[in-house]
């Protein structure tokens, strides 16, 4: 029984199913070519002083599987810094960016998998995850929050670097629907086990089977398998799965040391999950939120308990916790059980996922026997110490790799692969801005500004002109796994030399739009050139219900005098074409430029007396002082056609301003019904 956990990842796999009808096949980095049945593993290399060594090549490594040499077919060095988001001095935290790009550099990738547990343990899990996000999560990292088993998966969060969205998903975790304690003995397997007869010749009654617990375990392991298989589709990097769980009531060693026979449904899902993890470089870090006490109650402090408490805790959860340790050992991670050293564990997880080599090989052993195969990773240079995973799980006969994907009819293969990737693809540098505006119905009109580096479009000279293509495609997925297809636009370019020179300097832009109902979405936007070089951006978008509340504010579009010179194509975007000036996804402007702003305010007051709405746009310096300001006042009867909003366009000159961080503050205030106020802040940089 497959769970709905894919929805927890905000349609990460389903987006690609909409394109290809199967699992995603993201475009890998040029140095990391992925074969269909390849094995990925990571290795850390240090010198005698323990310092990481980063200058090695594929020829410096050798891989042995069960003692037999293997050929390294893919290779990448990953060295990820701890990036911190810039923030103005007058704000307590960084302002959420309204532009996403694929040029910010690769970060660590975490998935927080939250198993079913009691409410008090769920609260502890939320506390520890909040600590991780606030102290250890960097601006260039990606993370997702998923729920295992029976839970409201629509409240989970797909891969994002947005702390607010991750914390919102974590705060929604209540422990799931099944909150009773897990049994502490393994469930019976499907292999028959005879019971000895008593002296009277009557066989004793076998142990009672926990039907409800068995059902919960099946759902949990199905969810677990789905999460791991999703993570394994992201190639060329190490993926960390932080599994918050009390453990699984099954014989995990029977699954790991599989020697044939029939597995239960839960055991088979677990075996497939470990197979995907060990072949796809997914490292599992199980964390028992109960800490040092048996129940992990809320009254527990992070101090050492008595010896009796330690003994009781060990007896109560030994078997379940052993399953967590087994998962960690098999995948190269470590388990935090019967311990309150959460900060130590978090620091180690970050270090292990920051600097390493990723190696890939295709095994010379083609048997699909489900057995565990031992690995050794060696470095040929003397004096170096290498540490890597010590093995992987071979697939079962029933596990088959996905067939190669074919290109959809309406787009190139490069765009399709980039659009199918759950993480941004950096092959073609690009930026994306999206803003929702009220539509004619309850659906909003979402305007997109997609900009690429024209120098990467691969234009070629032909008959005195430069020709090529600029292909863009996009789609959206909501939290319940529903796909909202966008459109694919292909611009065939023929540029004169003078136009070509300008485009090479300023870039190229495409404006598009789509219509979405109020809700939370993850948009994927991909672009490619004629040679198949492609890139993509993953964009988290919240579409407000502009018909609710006394006053609402649209997204805020920015433009400038210099951005108006960027070559722009407007494809089936009538609303974007009506906006004053140009829309840009750039958030860096030159001193002396003129910044253009456009937003709309919408009122939903009923039976209100005639009144005015104050609209202001301010430019605030790093210290918070207002350096530019434009204000306007509109009558409540001054509506923009049948859209029912106050359109507000303003210009802010940037002359005589020092380089640095600034904040554009747009605000609408109604002078009626308690003076409701709404505002938005956009961070920019002046160079």
């Amino acid at each position: 029984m497959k769970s709905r956990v894919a929805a927890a990842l905000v349609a990460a796999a389903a987006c690609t199913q909409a394109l290809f009808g199967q699992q995603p096949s993201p475009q890998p980095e040029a140095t990391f070519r992925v074969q269909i049945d390849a094995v990925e593993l990571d290795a850390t290399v240090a010198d005698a002083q323990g310092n990481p060594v980063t200058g090695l090549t594929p020829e410096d490594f050798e891989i042995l599987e069960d003692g037999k040499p293997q050929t390294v077919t893919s290779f990448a060095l990953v060295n990820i810094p701890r990036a911190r988001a810039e923030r103005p001095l007058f704000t307590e935290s960084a302002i959420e960016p309204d532009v996403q790009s694929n040029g910010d550099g690769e970060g660590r990738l975490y998935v927080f998998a939250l198993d079913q547990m009691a409410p008090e343990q769920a609260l502890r899990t939320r506390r520890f995850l909040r600590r991780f996000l606030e102290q250890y999560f960097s601006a260039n990292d990606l993370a997702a929050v998923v729920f295992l088993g029976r839970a409201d998966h629509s409240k989970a969060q797909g891969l994002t670097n947005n702390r607010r969205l991750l914390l919102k998903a974590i705060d929604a975790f209540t422990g799931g629907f099944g909150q009773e304690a897990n049994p502490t003995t393994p469930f019976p397997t499907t292999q028959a086990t005879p019971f000895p007869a008593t002296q009277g010749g009557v066989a004793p009654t076998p142990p009672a089977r926990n039907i409800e617990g068995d059902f919960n375990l099946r759902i949990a392991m199905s969810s677990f398998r789905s999460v791991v298989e999703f993570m394994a589709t992201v190639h060329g990097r190490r993926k960390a799965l932080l599994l918050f769980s009390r453990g699984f009531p099954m014989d995990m060693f029977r699954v790991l040391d599989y020697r044939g026979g029939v597995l239960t449904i839960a055991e088979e899902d677990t075996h497939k999950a470990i197979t995907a993890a060990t072949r796809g470089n997914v490292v599992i870090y199980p964390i028992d939120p109960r800490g040092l006490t048996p129940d992990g109650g809320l009254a527990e402090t992070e101090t050492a308990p008595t010896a009796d408490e330690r003994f009781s805790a060990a007896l109560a959860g030994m078997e379940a916790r052993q399953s967590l340790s087994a998962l960690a050992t098999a995948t190269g991670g470590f388990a935090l059980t019967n311990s309150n050293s959460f900060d130590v564990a978090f620091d180690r997880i970050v270090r292990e996922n920051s600097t390493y080599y990723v190696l890939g090989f295709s095994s010379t052993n083609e048997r699909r026997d489900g057995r565990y195969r031992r690995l050794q990773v060696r470095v040929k240079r003397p004096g170096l110490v290498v540490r890597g995973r010590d093995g992987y799980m071979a697939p079962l006969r029933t596990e088959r790799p996905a067939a190669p994907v074919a290109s959809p009819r309406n787009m190139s293969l490069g765009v399709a692969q980039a659009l199918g990737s759950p993480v941004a693809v950096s092959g073609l540098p690009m930026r994306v801005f999206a803003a929702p505006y009220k539509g004619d119905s309850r659906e909003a009109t979402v305007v997109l500004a997609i900009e690429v580096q024209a120098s990467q479009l691969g234009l070629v000279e032909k008959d005195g002109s430069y020709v090529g293509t600029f292909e863009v495609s996009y789609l959206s997925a909501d939290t319940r796994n529903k796909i909202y297809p966008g459109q694919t636009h292909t611009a065939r370019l023929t540029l004169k030399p003078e136009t070509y020179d300008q485009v090479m300097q300023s870039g190229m832009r495409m404006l598009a739009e789509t219509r979405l109902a109020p809700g939370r979405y993850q948009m994927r936007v991909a672009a490619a050139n004629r040679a198949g070089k492609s890139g993509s951006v993953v964009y988290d978008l919240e579409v407000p219900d502009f018909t609710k509340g006394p006053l609402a504010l649209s997204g805020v579009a920015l433009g400038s005098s210099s951005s108006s010179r960027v070559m722009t194509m407007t494809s089936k975007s009538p609303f974007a074409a009506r906006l004053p000036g140009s829309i840009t996804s750039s958030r860096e402007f030159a001193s002396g430029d003129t910044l253009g702003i456009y937003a709309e305010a919408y009122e939903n007051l009923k039976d209100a007396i005639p009144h005015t709405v104050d609209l202001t746009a301010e430019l605030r310096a790093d210290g918070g002082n207002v350096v530019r300001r434009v204000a306007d006042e509109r009558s409540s009867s001054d509506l923009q056609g049948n859209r029912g909003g106050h359109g507000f366009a303003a210009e802010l000159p940037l002359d005589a301003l020092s380089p640095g961080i600034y904040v554009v503050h747009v605000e609408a205030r109604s002078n009626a019904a308690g003076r409701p106020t709404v505002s938005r802040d956009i961070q920019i940089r002046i160079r």
Side-chain angles (χ1 to χ4, degrees), residues 65-398:
E65 180 188 298
D66 292 333
K68 297 180 180 180
Q70 307 294 315
T71 301
V72 177
T73 57
S74 53
F75 177 86
L77 168 65
V78 178
N79 191 13
I80 306 173
R82 294 282 300 274
R84 296 191 179 277
E86 291 183 315
R87 68 173 182 85
L89 296 176
F90 65 92
T91 62
E92 294 183 358
S93 59
I95 296 174
E96 289 184 17
D98 62 337
V99 170
Q100 294 294 331
S101 74
N102 59 0
D104 296 332
E106 186 177 276
R108 288 151 288 265
L109 193 153
Y110 306 105
V111 171
F112 308 125
L114 312 184
D115 193 14
Q116 297 180 129
M117 59 187 68
E120 60 269 21
Q121 296 157 17
L123 287 174
R124 286 173 57 84
T125 297
R126 286 158 53 180
R127 185 180 72 182
F128 296 135
L129 275 175
R130 179 173 287 274
R131 183 187 304 176
F132 183 90
L133 288 173
E134 291 175 347
Q135 299 181 15
Y136 299 94
F137 189 74
S138 299
N140 55 332
D141 293 342
L142 290 174
V145 180
V146 300
F147 305 142
L148 302 185
R150 295 188 294 176
D152 186 356
H153 298 290
S154 68
K155 294 182 179 179
Q157 174 60 49
L159 285 170
T160 183
N161 64 353
N162 188 311
R163 278 191 181 89
R164 178 182 61 82
L165 295 179
L166 292 168
L167 289 170
K168 183 178 180 180
I170 289 168
D171 289 341
F173 176 60
T174 61
F177 297 134
Q179 298 172 344
E180 63 279 353
N182 281 340
T184 58
T185 56
F187 293 126
T189 68
T190 55
Q191 296 172 324
T193 303
F195 290 91
T198 63
Q199 292 182 354
V202 178
T205 303
R209 187 185 182 105
N210 188 328
I211 303 299
E212 176 68 15
D214 196 358
F215 180 72
N216 285 340
L217 181 65
R218 286 175 56 184
I219 296 178
M221 301 323 293
S222 176
S223 302
F224 178 64
R225 172 189 170 187
S226 297
V227 172
V228 175
E229 290 179 340
F230 159 77
M231 296 177 70
T233 64
V234 182
H235 296 290
R237 63 198 298 180
R238 177 184 175 116
K239 288 80 64 177
L241 176 60
L242 277 64
L243 172 62
F244 284 80
S245 173
R246 300 167 299 176
F248 302 110
M250 67 164 57
D251 187 353
M252 193 65 69
F253 295 101
R254 163 182 158 82
V255 176
L256 292 172
D257 193 26
Y258 177 71
R259 297 182 180 274
V262 180
L263 298 174
T264 66
I265 295 176
E267 289 173 338
E268 185 172 333
D269 276 332
T270 305
H271 188 284
K272 292 179 179 179
I274 298 173
T275 300
T278 56
R279 296 178 71 88
N281 207 21
V282 178
V283 183
I284 301 176
Y285 297 96
I287 298 173
D288 189 334
R290 290 175 293 182
L292 287 166
T293 59
D295 59 353
L298 295 177
E300 178 198 6
T301 62
E302 295 188 16
T303 57
T306 64
D308 288 342
E309 290 173 335
R310 286 181 178 273
F311 183 72
S312 298
L315 290 179
M318 182 178 298
E319 288 175 328
R321 283 167 168 163
Q322 282 179 342
S323 69
L324 299 180
S325 298
L327 283 173
T329 301
T331 60
F334 64 86
L336 183 69
T337 62
N338 200 27
S339 172
N340 280 339
S341 301
F342 292 93
D343 284 326
V344 174
F346 291 159
D347 184 71
R348 179 179 169 185
I349 289 171
V350 173
R351 282 189 285 108
E352 290 186 356
N353 287 273
S354 295
T355 304
Y356 54 89
Y357 293 90
V358 181
L359 309 170
F361 70 96
S362 292
S363 174
T364 56
N365 184 351
E366 298 180 353
R367 292 194 300 271
R368 309 181 74 83
D369 53 12
R371 301 291 298 275
Y372 191 77
R373 299 176 182 173
R374 296 293 175 182
L375 291 177
Q376 288 179 286
V377 182
R378 299 174 180 173
V379 177
K380 299 175 185 177
R381 296 188 188 183
L384 301 182
V385 178
V386 60
R387 190 174 75 86
R389 193 172 66 249
D390 63 1
Y392 74 96
M393 194 86 79
L396 297 166
R397 289 188 298 272
T398 56

